[in-house]
Amino acid sequence: MLKLVFLALVPSLFAFLSLTPKEDWHWFAEYSVNFFFGFLFCLSLAKSLSSFWLFTIAFALCIQLNSVWLLDTIQKFGNFSFAVSVIIWGLYFIFNLGSSSLFFLFYHSLKDLKFGVLAFPAAWVVWENLPLQFFPWKLGYCFFSEKYISPVVSILGTSGLTFIVSLASTILLSKMRFKVPIFIGLLATTALPLDVFQPQKQFKGEVQAGLIQPNHSIDFKHNLQQLNEVILDLNLLSEKVLNADVIIWPESAINDLIFAGINHIDEDRYLRKLSFAKPTLLGVLTQDEFGKIYNSVIAVGNHGEIEGLYHKQILTPFGEYIPFKNYLPFLTVLNPIEDFSPGLKSEPLQVLGVRVGVLICYEDLFPELSLRYAQQDADFILVVANDLWFGLNYAPYLHDRFARFRARETLVPFVRVTNSGVSSVSDMYGATEVKFKRNAKIAQAVSIKIYSSGQSVFTKQGSEVLRYFVNISLLLIAMNLTFKTIKLSKRLKR
């Protein structure tokens, strides 16, 4: 048993070494080390597929140990006790064991067929895109540096990178002929200059944005008796960047309900306290005329008029709603929070003629939302977040990393504004241009480069190209299985 647990921890170690932030490293060294350990992670999981228990425990442990931040988040964000948070985290592990088991069974039903080498990458891509993933995680995220993300991502998406690397690892472990040159060729494709197949975007200009990272503690931010002090601090920080074209506050900067139907900031007792006249994008909590509560971003114009509103569409489990509460009613009893309502629209907000696609919190983990904005020719995509819930671990750096892949997929610049870090600006290739220190109070004007419209292959096709790869893989396996079944039935008739 101890040997099984030890072997199951090996992939988690490789994943951890690949995912941990490497501050101040040269980009090539960072990418090389991350790629090396990311590939070892994939290879060790492929190797563990010889045993049901080894693989399922290894895969579930990897997900669990790299989401240890959930304990802090459930406890602080969901307002659960530590004991209940541990129970929920344990249920999450059981859920991961179940999904790992499905992965294993799917793989083993196909592995012994003629094209079985395609089973592992196909199974992994299917697993990555299961709709039941609460916190979507992709193998492709391992292959990253602050200045470089593989051009493959702009064509096949992050799951396409997963497919190529997992296929390479399977081939390396196989007994097929010429496996070494095929393996090297597959890995080489991740570094090919594939951007020559992308539209050549022309530089149009820059927008000066004043990013506000207030670093407010949870207690300070959520104490309604101190809300006036919160707004005063936000005002003082904003006044340091009045030279910017637009000012951006983080998620739920004002943590009190604002009526979603207002037309001017003077109609709200807190919004009217904004001490500056600048176009502003600010995270707030809103409530409509039916009593529904939303996590929102409001666009405020030069003269205080409300020019746009976005409601968060993908809600955070245990913080904004209780999943499976109809089946696990004790969760509602332990923490009777009122569920937020999801928004229904993904339309860019207009600020000074610039089209801004808005995402809130962990919506940047879902490629489909970024794709919608890119397909509507957003000039840049803004993510407002409050990563203070993660606690004192490396999860905020991971959140920032994962968002960069959305920039690389869509070829649209990404801007992240958070309460306590990591706030950042990345270009359309996902490379870091500006990055704020974590747990620091910062107000800084930054330049966001705007380019002419031109959609990446992934933006135009979405996951269709990758789906063709997966479907062809499954079709070849199915055809082989059919032929084997026909041959077997003929033998039995004889």
Side-chain angles (χ1 to χ4, degrees):
M1 183 63 184
L2 287 175
K3 182 181 178 181
L4 177 67
V5 173
F6 175 77
L7 291 173
L9 284 170
V10 171
S12 297
L13 174 63
F14 290 141
F16 174 79
L17 292 172
S18 177
L19 293 170
T20 47
K22 297 163 183 68
E23 297 287 281
D24 303 321
W25 282 42
H26 185 275
W27 74 267
F28 186 75
E30 180 187 16
Y31 188 78
S32 300
V33 170
N34 285 341
F35 197 101
F36 175 71
F37 284 116
F39 182 73
L40 287 181
F41 161 58
C42 182
L43 196 66
S44 60
L45 273 180
K47 187 72 175 173
S48 71
L49 279 163
S50 58
S51 163
F52 172 79
W53 286 111
L54 178 58
F55 175 80
T56 53
I57 293 173
F59 205 11
L61 273 177
C62 180
I63 300 167
Q64 199 76 8
L65 294 177
N66 282 287
S67 59
V68 69
W69 49 267
L70 267 175
L71 275 173
D72 271 334
T73 305
I74 294 169
Q75 190 176 0
K76 296 172 183 175
F77 192 21
N79 200 30
F80 286 96
S81 68
F82 177 74
V84 174
S85 300
V86 170
I87 292 171
I88 294 172
W89 197 58
L91 291 173
Y92 183 57
F93 179 69
I94 294 171
F95 173 82
N96 287 327
L97 277 175
S99 66
S100 302
S101 302
L102 291 175
F103 188 128
F104 180 90
L105 294 172
F106 179 74
Y107 166 79
H108 264 265
S109 66
L110 305 172
K111 75 176 183 68
D112 293 327
L113 304 177
K114 188 173 182 180
F115 300 100
V117 72
L118 298 170
F120 183 54
W124 198 317
V125 170
V126 169
W127 178 87
E128 278 188 353
N129 294 281
L130 285 174
L132 280 176
Q133 298 277 14
F134 287 124
F135 303 98
W137 188 91
K138 301 179 187 295
L139 169 65
Y141 292 144
C142 292
F143 312 110
F144 165 89
S145 87
E146 292 283 347
K147 293 294 183 181
Y148 180 80
I149 297 174
S150 171
V152 165
V153 173
S154 299
I155 296 176
L156 298 177
T158 307
S159 287
L161 190 56
T162 296
F163 186 88
I164 291 172
V165 176
S166 55
L167 178 59
S169 66
T170 313
I171 287 174
L172 190 63
L173 293 173
S174 73
K175 296 178 181 179
M176 67 185 297
R177 296 175 63 190
F178 311 115
K179 66 178 183 181
V180 173
I182 295 173
F183 162 75
I184 293 172
L186 280 169
L187 292 190
T189 60
T190 67
L192 290 176
L194 299 176
D195 287 325
V196 296
F197 299 109
Q198 303 291 355
Q200 299 305 304
K201 294 192 172 189
Q202 302 298 319
F203 177 69
K204 289 198 308 185
E206 296 182 351
V207 174
Q208 295 293 316
L211 310 188
I212 308 301
Q213 182 177 292
N215 196 35
H216 291 161
S217 70
I218 293 174
D219 292 337
F220 179 59
K221 182 180 169 66
H222 282 242
N223 188 341
L224 294 182
Q225 295 180 348
Q226 293 182 298
L227 194 49
N228 287 324
E229 296 174 47
V230 170
I231 295 173
L232 175 62
D233 189 51
L234 288 165
N235 278 331
L236 291 173
L237 289 169
S238 300
E239 287 167 7
K240 294 180 180 180
V241 290
L242 290 181
N243 59 321
D245 300 316
V246 59
I247 293 172
I248 306 175
W249 290 5
E251 177 188 7
S252 61
I254 299 177
N255 201 49
D256 191 33
L257 292 177
I258 293 168
F259 178 55
I262 64 172
N263 298 307
H264 197 278
I265 61 172
D266 286 343
E267 298 173 33
D268 182 79
R269 57 176 176 164
Y270 291 116
L271 288 181
R272 67 166 62 115
K273 294 179 181 179
L274 268 64
S275 64
F276 51 91
K278 274 280 179 184
T280 307
L281 292 164
L282 58 151
V284 295
L285 303 181
T286 61
Q287 186 173 36
D288 65 15
E289 63 271 25
F290 304 107
K292 292 182 177 179
I293 299 172
Y294 302 91
N295 190 346
S296 311
V297 168
I298 288 179
V300 180
N302 260 322
H303 306 291
E305 65 278 14
I306 306 300
E307 296 187 332
L309 178 66
Y310 171 76
H311 296 314
K312 184 180 180 185
Q313 298 179 73
I314 301 179
L315 303 178
T316 306
F318 301 108
E320 293 168 327
Y321 77 103
I322 303 296
F324 308 123
K325 66 179 182 181
N326 292 332
Y327 306 101
L328 303 171
F330 73 91
L331 293 175
T332 306
V333 173
L334 291 169
N335 185 21
I337 67 168
E338 185 173 356
D339 284 358
F340 281 62
S341 296
L344 302 174
K345 292 183 179 180
S346 293
E347 296 178 359
L349 300 182
Q350 294 275 357
V351 181
L352 298 174
V354 176
R355 296 170 64 79
V356 183
V358 177
L359 302 173
I360 299 176
C361 190
Y362 85 138
E363 287 186 317
D364 52 8
L365 301 186
F366 298 87
E368 60 271 21
L369 296 184
S370 302
L371 281 178
R372 288 177 203 165
Y373 285 130
Q375 289 162 356
Q376 296 176 74
D377 295 325
D379 291 306
F380 71 90
I381 295 176
L382 167 68
V383 185
V384 296
N386 179 22
D387 287 350
L388 192 64
W389 305 107
F390 287 132
L392 299 175
N393 54 56
Y394 68 100
Y397 294 99
L398 284 185
H399 194 182
D400 180 64
R401 175 193 288 203
F402 297 170
R404 308 291 183 82
F405 281 82
R406 304 291 84 79
R408 212 356 166 159
E409 287 170 344
T410 57
L411 295 181
V412 176
F414 247 69
V415 179
R416 298 187 75 248
V417 182
T418 70
N419 174 44
S420 58
V422 178
S423 301
S424 64
V425 177
S426 59
D427 67 14
M428 64 179 179
Y429 301 111
T432 306
E433 293 192 329
V434 178
K435 192 172 186 178
F436 290 2
K437 288 184 178 179
R438 189 181 172 195
N439 299 323
K441 187 185 291 289
I442 299 173
Q444 182 177 326
V446 301
S447 294
I448 303 170
K449 294 181 175 65
I450 304 298
Y451 297 89
S452 60
S453 61
Q455 298 177 357
S456 70
V457 173
F458 185 68
T459 299
K460 291 178 181 177
Q461 303 296 331
S463 298
E464 289 301 315
V465 178
L466 177 62
R467 197 172 289 120
Y468 292 143
F469 276 103
V470 174
N471 288 343
I472 289 170
S473 301
L474 296 177
L475 179 62
L476 288 171
I477 295 167
M479 288 172 61
N480 184 252
L481 178 61
T482 303
F483 292 144
K484 280 195 171 185
T485 304
I486 293 171
K487 284 182 180 180
L488 180 61
S489 63
K490 286 182 177 178
R491 286 178 187 173
L492 290 173
K493 286 178 180 179
R494 290 175 189 172

